[in-house]
Amino acid sequence: MSDPQRSPKEPPEATSTATTPPGISRRGFLKGAGITAAGTALLSGVQGLSREAVASTPKGVKEFGPEPFPVTLHINDKEHALQIEPRTTLADALRIQLNMTGTKISCDRGVCSSCTVLLDRMPVNSCMTLALDTVGHQITTIEGISANEQIHPVQAAFVRHDAMQCGFCTPGMVMSCVSLLEKNPHPTEADVRYAVSGNLCRCGTYPKVFAATLDAATQPASKA
Amino acid sequence: MATATTHSVADAILIAATDSSGAATKTVSMPIGVPGYTLHDEQRTVPATEPPVLPVNKDLDYIGKSPERWDGHAKVTGRARYTADVQLPGMLYARFVNASIPHARVLSIDTSAAESHPGVKGVHVIESLLGAAVLRDPALESTKYPIVRFAGQPVAAVAATTPQAAEEAAAKVKVKYEALPFVVDANLAREPNAPLVFPGAADEAGTAGGGGSEGGIPQTGNIHGPAVHKKGDAEQGFKDADVIVDARYITQVQTHSALETHGVVADWKPEQLTVYSSTQGTASVRDEFAGYFHLPKSQVRVITEFMGGGFGAKFGAGNPGVVAATLSRKTGAPVRLMLDRQEEHLSVGNRPSSDQRLRIGAKKDGTITAIQLISFGTAGCGTGAGCSGPAANLYKWASLHTEENDVFINAGPAAAFRAPGHPQGAFALEQSIDELAARLNMDLLDLRDRIDENPVRRVQRQIVRESALWKSRNPRPNADPGPIKRGIGLSQSVWYRHLTMDAAAEVRVHKDGSVEVLSAVQDIGSGIKTVLAQILAEQFGVPPAKVSVKIGDTNYPVGPNSGGSVTTASLTPAVRDAAWQAAQKFLASVAPALHATPADLTLAGGMVRSTSDKFQPIPFRIAAGKMNTDEVSAQAKRIPDYNPGKYDTYGGVDIAEVAVDTETGRIHVKRVLAVHDCGRPINPAQVISQINGGVIQGISYTLFEHRLLDPNYGLMVNANLDKYKIAGSYEIPQIEVQLTESYIGQSSTDASGIGEAAGIISAGAAIGNAVYNATGVRIRQLPMTPAIVLAALNQPQPSMESL
């Protein structure tokens, strides 16, 4: 990827191969690296990781990838078997491989929270989470919070209060607010501001997000 | 049940007549003014085919109410499919290769390593660029590849089977540059020996969203200008003045930062090019594709079911569009090209900066004798930095002299951005008007009453005057003794009744009683889907949620491009006219079964009635079953305003309460009262959402946002949302919106737009005036960061000698 932001510190030379990535960014490393020794340690005990994925090197270090290998992800109370490269983020696995596009990517850097999903009921940025690291954990996406064809009280309140405009940040906002009400059924406006402090909305819908979430907290079903 | 067709304050007075073209007309009485303040009736002569006059909102069932956003469920459940979500069988993922230096000649591009990268299906080297200014004399530059004029300019693109493969392959494209001297500082670019961004005069046309510059402007070095406008004798005006206020204002470059980046999925087939596009104008996208590839418009289909924000920057095919379509044609597969966040900051638009010197001359009674504005601003390697709109159009003056200059620098081209030029211009004008009031020892609202001729803003100022927030204002600046000082300020805004006649819709009535509306218009988040459903609901008495709204597809009748607040004002009359005509066809279709003549039948409040009481009223849905055909439909197009030229501007008044921490320099906006006019509000909840958004974007522009370019390397140093700060949940004040429902008797819906006038124009000056009220110090530079605030507080006010 050409990347003007991360260009050489020297002034441009008369001729240069300017598109060579000049350095390794933290995120590039995160997305590009295969999982080796340290990764294996992290993964020990993880359920659902296929044995075939774990190759043995001459030194006895287990290595995954960089080729795709099979994993099983537990999403919205269903098992999904898929082939992933180690560098695949949870957001890409959801959106591209599973076609669950309710989870959005906007900054792809963990700043805007458009990609918020729940990992064991905790909100996380799925663009900054490797799919591999979620093996064995419960993933809940925007597609998974409605039950019995009833939309979640937070979703219903967002509609009632018109807490959306273009709607691109809306799934992430909803997930942050759902998580808030699970932890704190009686939030104050300050609590809601804190809960969505990582969620950016460029249309400027925050006042109605605050109102909708406080209203949803008064609906019985959200206190489950 | 009161509807337009039964009774109203404004029943049509039918007078047989014709207009100059021989078409039949009728004279009707229409509500005019603001209910509760200035409401009265006026007569209008309108085409005889127009539907009956709509009464004011309180007498309607669905229009003027706030039913739920039509696509709200789709958005909160994640079912809404944006361009970024489109996946087609065999679709390839494309990535741009972007220039990493700000000014260069491309000597060679070697794509061989990229082409042999696993998964790569196509590579394209860009030989012509869209979006920037172009040389008047192209012979001044004869190069195979476009000259690189900013870091981040696309040079080539790669399409591959996965996004990762495309990204890896893009990094393998080897570009050899001959670096050229560059300039990214607009002040340095104005100097006589500055590196030249263009070797000769260059111009950029505007888009459907505005921006760009007029033709024939002189250019000296990097200075494209001045564009001079003189009305009356300003020199004499300043001689006639008792008081002259004279100040310099500086505003920064802002990026649009819509959450969905620019992008398309292009699917090139021999018989048709289909494009899914994140756009504010399906028509503009189709037209640019057709023009670029020499295709008949009928063979280009553009689809925008949902789009994730544009704010003025998303019109036309653009570089992502034409490159994706080219790669699709080359590879025979659909190609997705969505920009990443960094590219979004660098290459697809921004709000130009400004450096303004504004002089206002006035008599002792406040009458303005002269306004002079000399401005310089940079739109990067594009044009469109003019900002004289507010100075020219908000107040009455005896003379006006404006000179606007675009300064070229090696940065990405600007694009129209919500109320182009107006936040910059109002930031200066409305602070200077406050300063003028202080010099004249006049009340801020009284002065504006004297010099502002707009009747609705007069009402709005009255609402402000009576508000608790304004009443709590201490008119004495710097009145709080402690380190945290509270202040309240106001600013007005002005926008224009822009319309397009290319706004059409078809309305269908089916025998099962279902109704639908079809138009190519796109919903950019403002809620036009809901608005169209409400108009059909009012006509047929069907709840809005039951109306089928099919938009965002050029297969349907042409829709307006959503820029300049044109959508609701342009399209809703066409939709109402189509609904009315479809209803008349429906009555003709059911008349035989009801043993009545069509003229004896009316459809209102969801009931079909016989004027001669031939039968008991029948619900619409039951009556539909008696249609003598499966479907009736009508298509209508916008007709010109009934009384064009009158009421051609409108706006609002915003007041802001701030707390200024004089020890840290932090400004905290605590409360905002936004009083706004959008003609007839069709869905007040959605209008309020837009105004909240305008206010918040305006606060964000005023306090935080700043595109930073490194002068040593010519690169943007904050090209992602972690470093380019936009307002978040902690910076949102309590916002109260008051809509001044107002009627001007111009169309069958009498609606105006709100996108531009909402908040964004006046936030800067309202906050600036509030900071002055709090501290007695004027901040004339954006963004008002703590450093700038502290510098202003700790220094005497800059004098004009510094110019």
Side-chain angles (χ1 to χ4, degrees), chain A residues 109-179:
Chain A
R109 183 171 287 202
V111 185
C112 72
S113 299
S114 302
C115 63
T116 303
V117 300
L118 306 185
L119 193 62
D120 297 333
R121 307 312 287 185
M122 288 292 290
V124 299
N125 288 322
S126 62
C127 81
M128 296 292 283
T129 305
L130 291 174
L132 200 51
D133 285 344
T134 67
V135 170
H137 297 269
Q138 304 285 324
I139 300 157
T140 310
T141 72
I142 188 72
E143 291 90 353
I145 58 168
S146 309
N148 306 324
E149 298 185 1
Q150 284 285 315
I151 60 173
H152 189 281
V154 168
Q155 292 172 310
F158 267 56
V159 174
R160 246 183 352 263
H161 288 264
D162 198 39
M164 73 200 86
Q165 290 182 62
C166 82
F168 206 76
C169 75
T170 308
M173 285 276 185
V174 167
M175 294 309 285
S176 291
C177 295
V178 164
S179 172

Side-chain angles (χ1 to χ4, degrees), chain B residues 49-74:
Chain B
T49 48
E50 281 289 272
V53 171
L54 273 186
V56 298
N57 276 352
K58 75 173 173 55
D59 296 327
L60 294 172
D61 293 329
Y62 297 106
I63 291 174
K65 309 296 181 283
S66 297
E68 287 177 353
R69 193 171 285 253
W70 192 86
D71 52 8
H73 279 246

Side-chain angles (χ1 to χ4, degrees), chain A residues 15-30:
Chain A
T15 62
S16 68
T17 306
T19 56
T20 306
I24 297 174
S25 70
R26 188 181 64 82
R27 182 164 169 73
F29 179 79
L30 171 79

Side-chain angles (χ1 to χ4, degrees), chain B residues 65 83 127 254 323 373 441 465 530 549 598 610 719:
Chain B
K65 309 296 181 283
T83 301
E127 294 192 354
Q254 178 188 26
V323 168
L373 175 68
N441 200 23
R465 228 180 232 110
T530 324
V549 181
S610 159

